[in-house]
Short mmCIF file of all heavy atoms in Angstrom, two decimals:
data_model
loop_
_atom_site.label_atom_id
_atom_site.label_comp_id
_atom_site.label_asym_id
_atom_site.label_seq_id
_atom_site.Cartn_x
_atom_site.Cartn_y
_atom_site.Cartn_z
N GLY A 1 0.78 -1.18 -0.03
CA GLY A 1 0.01 -0.02 0.05
C GLY A 1 0.77 1.23 -0.01
O GLY A 1 2.07 1.21 -0.19
N PRO A 2 0.20 2.39 0.13
CA PRO A 2 0.88 3.59 0.14
C PRO A 2 2.06 3.80 1.17
O PRO A 2 2.95 4.56 0.86
CB PRO A 2 -0.21 4.71 0.47
CG PRO A 2 -1.51 4.05 0.14
CD PRO A 2 -1.23 2.61 0.48
N ARG A 3 1.93 3.13 2.24
CA ARG A 3 3.00 3.16 3.24
C ARG A 3 4.01 1.99 3.13
O ARG A 3 4.78 1.78 4.20
CB ARG A 3 2.35 3.30 4.71
CG ARG A 3 1.54 4.66 4.91
CD ARG A 3 1.13 4.77 6.33
NE ARG A 3 2.23 5.30 7.16
CZ ARG A 3 2.31 6.41 7.85
NH1 ARG A 3 1.19 7.22 7.87
NH2 ARG A 3 3.27 6.62 8.52
N LYS A 4 4.11 1.50 2.08
CA LYS A 4 5.00 0.48 1.84
C LYS A 4 6.36 1.02 1.94
O LYS A 4 6.70 2.15 1.77
CB LYS A 4 4.90 -0.09 0.41
CG LYS A 4 5.90 -1.27 0.08
CD LYS A 4 5.73 -1.73 -1.33
CE LYS A 4 6.78 -2.80 -1.74
NZ LYS A 4 6.55 -3.40 -3.25
N CYS A 5 7.44 0.19 2.62
CA CYS A 5 8.70 0.68 2.91
C CYS A 5 9.30 1.37 1.66
O CYS A 5 9.44 0.97 0.58
CB CYS A 5 9.67 -0.50 3.15
SG CYS A 5 11.44 0.01 3.43
N ILE A 6 9.67 2.70 1.94
CA ILE A 6 10.14 3.60 0.86
C ILE A 6 11.53 3.21 0.42
O ILE A 6 11.89 3.54 -0.86
CB ILE A 6 10.15 5.08 1.23
CG1 ILE A 6 10.23 6.06 0.15
CG2 ILE A 6 11.12 5.25 2.35
CD1 ILE A 6 10.07 7.43 0.45
N GLY A 7 12.31 2.50 1.18
CA GLY A 7 13.68 2.26 0.87
C GLY A 7 13.91 0.87 0.42
O GLY A 7 15.07 0.32 0.42
N ASN A 8 12.92 0.08 -0.08
CA ASN A 8 13.01 -1.29 -0.30
C ASN A 8 13.99 -1.50 -1.49
O ASN A 8 14.77 -2.55 -1.52
CB ASN A 8 11.60 -2.00 -0.66
CG ASN A 8 10.94 -1.51 -1.81
OD1 ASN A 8 11.14 -2.02 -3.01
ND2 ASN A 8 10.16 -0.46 -1.75
N ARG A 9 14.00 -0.60 -2.46
CA ARG A 9 14.87 -0.86 -3.69
C ARG A 9 16.42 -0.72 -3.15
O ARG A 9 17.24 -1.40 -3.66
CB ARG A 9 14.66 0.20 -4.74
CG ARG A 9 13.42 -0.12 -5.70
CD ARG A 9 13.35 1.06 -6.62
NE ARG A 9 12.23 0.81 -7.65
CZ ARG A 9 11.73 1.75 -8.40
NH1 ARG A 9 12.02 3.01 -8.06
NH2 ARG A 9 10.78 1.47 -9.34
N PHE A 10 16.60 0.27 -2.31
CA PHE A 10 17.94 0.53 -1.83
C PHE A 10 18.42 -0.72 -1.02
O PHE A 10 19.55 -1.13 -1.16
CB PHE A 10 17.95 1.76 -0.94
CG PHE A 10 19.32 2.17 -0.40
CD1 PHE A 10 20.05 3.08 -1.14
CD2 PHE A 10 19.83 1.66 0.71
CE1 PHE A 10 21.28 3.48 -0.80
CE2 PHE A 10 21.05 2.10 1.21
CZ PHE A 10 21.83 3.04 0.41
N ALA A 11 17.56 -1.24 -0.17
CA ALA A 11 17.90 -2.42 0.68
C ALA A 11 18.20 -3.57 -0.20
O ALA A 11 19.12 -4.37 0.07
CB ALA A 11 16.69 -2.73 1.62
N LEU A 12 17.47 -3.80 -1.26
CA LEU A 12 17.65 -5.02 -2.15
C LEU A 12 18.89 -4.82 -2.84
O LEU A 12 19.76 -5.84 -2.97
CB LEU A 12 16.54 -5.06 -2.99
CG LEU A 12 15.15 -5.62 -2.43
CD1 LEU A 12 14.01 -5.50 -3.56
CD2 LEU A 12 15.25 -6.96 -1.96
N MET A 13 19.21 -3.56 -3.23
CA MET A 13 20.44 -3.35 -4.13
C MET A 13 21.65 -3.47 -3.24
O MET A 13 22.68 -4.20 -3.67
CB MET A 13 20.40 -1.90 -4.70
CG MET A 13 21.54 -1.60 -5.56
SD MET A 13 21.40 -0.08 -6.54
CE MET A 13 21.57 1.13 -5.23
N GLU A 14 21.68 -3.00 -2.07
CA GLU A 14 22.90 -3.11 -1.20
C GLU A 14 23.17 -4.55 -0.76
O GLU A 14 24.27 -5.05 -0.63
CB GLU A 14 22.95 -2.17 -0.05
CG GLU A 14 21.85 -2.52 1.01
CD GLU A 14 22.00 -1.54 2.30
OE1 GLU A 14 23.13 -1.16 2.62
OE2 GLU A 14 20.97 -1.25 2.98
N THR A 15 21.95 -5.33 -0.67
CA THR A 15 22.21 -6.71 -0.20
C THR A 15 22.69 -7.57 -1.38
O THR A 15 23.61 -8.39 -1.30
CB THR A 15 20.76 -7.38 0.24
OG1 THR A 15 20.35 -6.67 1.32
CG2 THR A 15 20.86 -8.84 0.48
N LYS A 16 22.03 -7.38 -2.61
CA LYS A 16 22.56 -8.20 -3.75
C LYS A 16 23.96 -7.91 -4.19
O LYS A 16 24.65 -8.93 -4.51
CB LYS A 16 21.59 -7.98 -4.92
CG LYS A 16 20.10 -8.50 -4.66
CD LYS A 16 19.36 -7.97 -5.90
CE LYS A 16 17.77 -8.44 -5.75
NZ LYS A 16 16.87 -8.04 -6.78
N ILE A 17 24.40 -6.67 -4.12
CA ILE A 17 25.71 -6.47 -4.61
C ILE A 17 26.78 -7.04 -3.66
O ILE A 17 27.83 -7.61 -4.13
CB ILE A 17 25.98 -4.85 -4.80
CG1 ILE A 17 27.39 -4.65 -5.44
CG2 ILE A 17 25.94 -4.16 -3.49
CD1 ILE A 17 27.45 -5.24 -6.82
N VAL A 18 26.59 -6.97 -2.37
CA VAL A 18 27.49 -7.51 -1.36
C VAL A 18 27.57 -9.08 -1.41
O VAL A 18 28.61 -9.72 -1.39
CB VAL A 18 27.35 -7.00 -0.02
CG1 VAL A 18 26.16 -7.72 0.87
CG2 VAL A 18 28.70 -7.19 0.86
N ILE A 19 26.40 -9.71 -1.72
CA ILE A 19 26.25 -11.16 -1.77
C ILE A 19 27.03 -11.64 -2.99
O ILE A 19 27.75 -12.58 -3.12
CB ILE A 19 24.85 -11.65 -1.84
CG1 ILE A 19 24.21 -11.35 -0.43
CG2 ILE A 19 24.84 -13.15 -2.18
CD1 ILE A 19 24.89 -12.04 0.74
N ALA A 20 26.86 -10.85 -4.06
CA ALA A 20 27.62 -11.20 -5.42
C ALA A 20 28.99 -11.09 -5.22
O ALA A 20 29.79 -12.00 -5.69
CB ALA A 20 27.08 -10.16 -6.45
N HIS A 21 29.55 -10.05 -4.56
CA HIS A 21 31.03 -9.87 -4.42
C HIS A 21 31.52 -10.98 -3.49
O HIS A 21 32.67 -11.46 -3.70
CB HIS A 21 31.37 -8.54 -3.83
CG HIS A 21 31.30 -7.42 -4.85
ND1 HIS A 21 30.93 -6.10 -4.67
CD2 HIS A 21 31.42 -7.48 -6.25
CE1 HIS A 21 30.92 -5.45 -5.74
NE2 HIS A 21 31.21 -6.30 -6.81
N LEU A 22 30.71 -11.39 -2.39
CA LEU A 22 31.19 -12.43 -1.57
C LEU A 22 31.31 -13.70 -2.32
O LEU A 22 32.27 -14.48 -2.15
CB LEU A 22 30.16 -12.56 -0.34
CG LEU A 22 30.37 -11.64 0.80
CD1 LEU A 22 29.23 -11.76 1.81
CD2 LEU A 22 31.69 -11.85 1.44
N LEU A 23 30.32 -14.05 -3.21
CA LEU A 23 30.31 -15.31 -3.86
C LEU A 23 31.45 -15.47 -4.90
O LEU A 23 31.93 -16.45 -5.11
CB LEU A 23 28.92 -15.57 -4.47
CG LEU A 23 27.83 -15.82 -3.58
CD1 LEU A 23 26.48 -16.00 -4.39
CD2 LEU A 23 28.03 -17.12 -2.77
N GLN A 24 31.87 -14.19 -5.40
CA GLN A 24 32.98 -14.14 -6.33
C GLN A 24 34.31 -14.54 -5.66
O GLN A 24 35.10 -15.33 -6.28
CB GLN A 24 33.14 -12.70 -6.88
CG GLN A 24 34.26 -12.58 -7.92
CD GLN A 24 34.51 -11.11 -8.17
OE1 GLN A 24 33.93 -10.17 -7.46
NE2 GLN A 24 35.38 -10.89 -9.15
N ARG A 25 34.45 -14.25 -4.44
CA ARG A 25 35.69 -14.37 -3.73
C ARG A 25 35.74 -15.51 -2.70
O ARG A 25 36.78 -15.96 -2.40
CB ARG A 25 36.15 -13.05 -3.09
CG ARG A 25 36.10 -11.83 -3.84
CD ARG A 25 37.06 -11.87 -5.02
NE ARG A 25 38.52 -11.87 -4.59
CZ ARG A 25 39.20 -10.76 -4.18
NH1 ARG A 25 38.46 -9.52 -4.32
NH2 ARG A 25 40.46 -10.79 -3.73
N PHE A 26 34.60 -15.97 -2.17
CA PHE A 26 34.46 -16.82 -1.04
C PHE A 26 33.52 -17.96 -1.36
O PHE A 26 32.53 -17.71 -2.10
CB PHE A 26 34.19 -16.30 0.22
CG PHE A 26 35.12 -15.35 0.79
CD1 PHE A 26 35.07 -13.92 0.56
CD2 PHE A 26 36.34 -15.81 1.46
CE1 PHE A 26 35.96 -13.04 1.09
CE2 PHE A 26 37.20 -14.93 1.95
CZ PHE A 26 37.04 -13.46 1.75
N THR A 27 33.76 -19.14 -0.75
CA THR A 27 32.73 -20.19 -0.58
C THR A 27 32.18 -20.00 0.83
O THR A 27 32.93 -20.12 1.75
CB THR A 27 33.37 -21.57 -0.87
OG1 THR A 27 33.73 -21.66 -2.08
CG2 THR A 27 32.26 -22.61 -0.57
N LEU A 28 30.81 -19.96 0.99
CA LEU A 28 30.16 -19.85 2.26
C LEU A 28 29.94 -21.25 2.82
O LEU A 28 29.31 -22.06 2.13
CB LEU A 28 28.91 -19.04 2.13
CG LEU A 28 29.07 -17.45 2.08
CD1 LEU A 28 29.87 -17.07 0.86
CD2 LEU A 28 27.69 -16.80 1.99
N LYS A 29 30.34 -21.53 4.12
CA LYS A 29 30.38 -22.81 4.63
C LYS A 29 29.65 -22.71 6.06
O LYS A 29 29.88 -21.73 6.77
CB LYS A 29 31.49 -23.58 4.64
CG LYS A 29 32.19 -23.86 3.34
CD LYS A 29 33.49 -24.78 3.42
CE LYS A 29 33.90 -25.19 2.10
NZ LYS A 29 35.15 -26.11 2.22
N ALA A 30 28.97 -23.80 6.38
CA ALA A 30 28.51 -23.90 7.78
C ALA A 30 29.63 -24.27 8.74
O ALA A 30 30.59 -24.98 8.24
CB ALA A 30 27.32 -24.95 7.85
N THR A 31 29.55 -24.01 10.01
CA THR A 31 30.58 -24.35 10.89
C THR A 31 29.91 -24.97 12.12
O THR A 31 28.75 -25.21 12.10
CB THR A 31 31.31 -23.09 11.41
OG1 THR A 31 30.52 -22.35 12.35
CG2 THR A 31 31.78 -22.18 10.35
N GLU A 32 30.73 -25.40 13.05
CA GLU A 32 30.21 -26.05 14.28
C GLU A 32 29.25 -25.08 15.04
O GLU A 32 28.34 -25.59 15.67
CB GLU A 32 31.33 -26.42 15.26
CG GLU A 32 32.24 -27.56 14.61
CD GLU A 32 33.28 -27.97 15.66
OE1 GLU A 32 33.47 -27.33 16.67
OE2 GLU A 32 34.05 -28.94 15.42
N LYS A 33 29.39 -23.84 14.86
CA LYS A 33 28.57 -22.87 15.53
C LYS A 33 27.33 -22.49 14.67
O LYS A 33 26.49 -21.75 15.28
CB LYS A 33 29.35 -21.53 15.91
CG LYS A 33 30.60 -21.88 16.75
CD LYS A 33 31.45 -20.65 17.08
CE LYS A 33 30.80 -19.72 18.06
NZ LYS A 33 31.66 -18.63 18.53
N THR A 34 27.23 -22.92 13.50
CA THR A 34 26.05 -22.76 12.77
C THR A 34 24.95 -23.46 13.21
O THR A 34 25.08 -24.82 13.28
CB THR A 34 26.31 -23.03 11.23
OG1 THR A 34 27.42 -22.22 10.59
CG2 THR A 34 25.09 -22.61 10.40
N VAL A 35 23.78 -22.87 13.48
CA VAL A 35 22.64 -23.64 14.15
C VAL A 35 21.52 -23.70 12.97
O VAL A 35 21.07 -22.80 12.39
CB VAL A 35 22.00 -23.00 15.28
CG1 VAL A 35 20.79 -23.77 15.77
CG2 VAL A 35 23.08 -22.83 16.39
N GLU A 36 21.29 -24.94 12.63
CA GLU A 36 20.27 -25.23 11.45
C GLU A 36 19.38 -26.36 11.84
O GLU A 36 19.87 -27.43 12.16
CB GLU A 36 21.01 -25.42 10.19
CG GLU A 36 20.03 -25.78 9.06
CD GLU A 36 19.03 -24.72 8.68
OE1 GLU A 36 19.21 -23.58 8.98
OE2 GLU A 36 18.03 -25.12 8.04
N PRO A 37 18.08 -26.20 12.07
CA PRO A 37 17.32 -24.94 11.80
C PRO A 37 17.56 -23.86 12.80
O PRO A 37 17.90 -24.20 13.93
CB PRO A 37 15.89 -25.51 11.70
CG PRO A 37 15.88 -26.68 12.64
CD PRO A 37 17.11 -27.21 12.43
N ILE A 38 17.31 -22.68 12.54
CA ILE A 38 17.67 -21.56 13.42
C ILE A 38 16.64 -21.55 14.51
O ILE A 38 15.43 -21.89 14.35
CB ILE A 38 17.46 -20.16 12.52
CG1 ILE A 38 18.71 -20.05 11.68
CG2 ILE A 38 17.39 -19.06 13.59
CD1 ILE A 38 18.74 -18.90 10.70
N VAL A 39 17.11 -21.35 15.74
CA VAL A 39 16.35 -21.09 16.84
C VAL A 39 16.30 -19.62 17.22
O VAL A 39 17.43 -19.00 17.46
CB VAL A 39 16.91 -21.88 18.10
CG1 VAL A 39 16.09 -21.61 19.37
CG2 VAL A 39 16.89 -23.35 17.70
N PHE A 40 15.21 -19.01 17.17
CA PHE A 40 15.22 -17.62 17.35
C PHE A 40 15.23 -17.12 18.88
O PHE A 40 14.57 -17.76 19.75
CB PHE A 40 13.85 -16.87 16.79
CG PHE A 40 13.77 -17.09 15.24
CD1 PHE A 40 12.79 -17.78 14.67
CD2 PHE A 40 14.81 -16.46 14.37
CE1 PHE A 40 12.75 -18.08 13.35
CE2 PHE A 40 14.68 -16.71 13.06
CZ PHE A 40 13.61 -17.43 12.52
N THR A 41 15.97 -16.00 19.15
CA THR A 41 15.97 -15.42 20.50
C THR A 41 14.65 -14.74 20.72
O THR A 41 14.16 -14.24 19.77
CB THR A 41 17.15 -14.52 20.78
OG1 THR A 41 17.06 -14.00 21.93
CG2 THR A 41 17.17 -13.40 19.60
#
């Protein structure tokens, strides 16, 4: 609606570009401290 988040395009853009650059340089892996499925605080 009219009060939809005004910054959604910005948030999506900054998220996608950093994920893209991370995937270019790194492989993301789970560790012993990774909890799956996630338990929320």
Side-chain angles (χ1 to χ4, degrees):
R3 294 189 76 124
K4 180 179 180 179
C5 175
I6 194 172
N8 69 88
R9 279 178 173 162
F10 187 91
L12 290 172
M13 184 169 69
E14 67 173 327
T15 298
K16 290 176 181 179
I17 189 63
V18 77
I19 294 298
H21 285 148
L22 276 173
L23 290 177
Q24 178 191 11
R25 307 295 294 275
F26 292 100
T27 298
L28 282 58
K29 293 185 174 182
T31 72
E32 291 180 358
K33 298 179 78 171
T34 305
V35 178
E36 175 60 25
I38 287 175
V39 178
F40 297 117
T41 178

